[in-house]
Amino acid sequence: MSDTGSTLAATPGGGRAPAFVVVGGMKCGTSTLRHYLSQVPGIGIPAGEVHFFSNAAKFARGRQWYEAQFAQYADKPCVGEKSATYHVYPGVAERMAATYPQMKLIWLLREPAARSYSHYWHIVS
């Protein structure tokens, strides 16, 4: 995964702008895909969710704060994140597009009945 645009530029805080975001609902495979991507030597992706675009207080901290969340991956040519909340909150897509127009979205969907059944058993267990 390479990008010739500005999405991989370093910021003053040592972080980098993400090249991609994995988005999808709970039980749609976002955590599994994050795990697989973390195994790729050239990709840096945090284990937890940053919630930058869906949390107004975090979004207010600005791009430099967000990009600092990826500083630990300075040796990786590509960084990104995943979130199961970005598809729920209004305005998230607009924030993403306005803040990082070059960023790629990987959107995971699942057949609704199977997703609901899996979510039910997740809650029960």
Side-chain angles (χ1 to χ4, degrees), residues 18-123:
F20 68 90
V21 173
V22 176
V23 180
M26 286 181 63
K27 313 313 287 178
C28 286
T30 57
S31 294
T32 300
L33 181 56
R34 191 222 58 84
H35 172 74
Y36 292 149
L37 290 172
S38 74
Q39 304 303 304
V40 177
I43 296 178
I45 185 167
E49 296 186 14
V50 180
H51 299 291
F52 178 68
F53 295 104
S54 59
N55 181 302
K58 288 184 178 182
F59 189 75
R61 294 178 185 172
R63 286 178 58 142
Q64 190 170 350
W65 176 87
Y66 179 56
E67 293 171 11
Q69 307 310 301
F70 304 99
Q72 65 187 353
Y73 305 111
D75 61 329
K76 307 286 185 184
C78 184
V79 297
E81 70 154 320
K82 75 94 178 172
S83 177
T85 64
Y86 288 164
H87 77 289
V88 177
Y89 294 95
V92 168
E94 292 82 359
R95 282 181 177 172
M96 292 171 129
T99 309
Y100 297 102
Q102 302 295 324
M103 186 170 59
K104 308 296 185 230
L105 296 180
I106 303 169
W107 206 289
L108 299 179
L109 303 173
R110 185 172 180 189
E111 190 271 318
R115 195 216 60 82
S116 295
Y117 186 73
S118 178
H119 194 174
Y120 168 78
W121 284 109
H122 174 83
I123 299 299

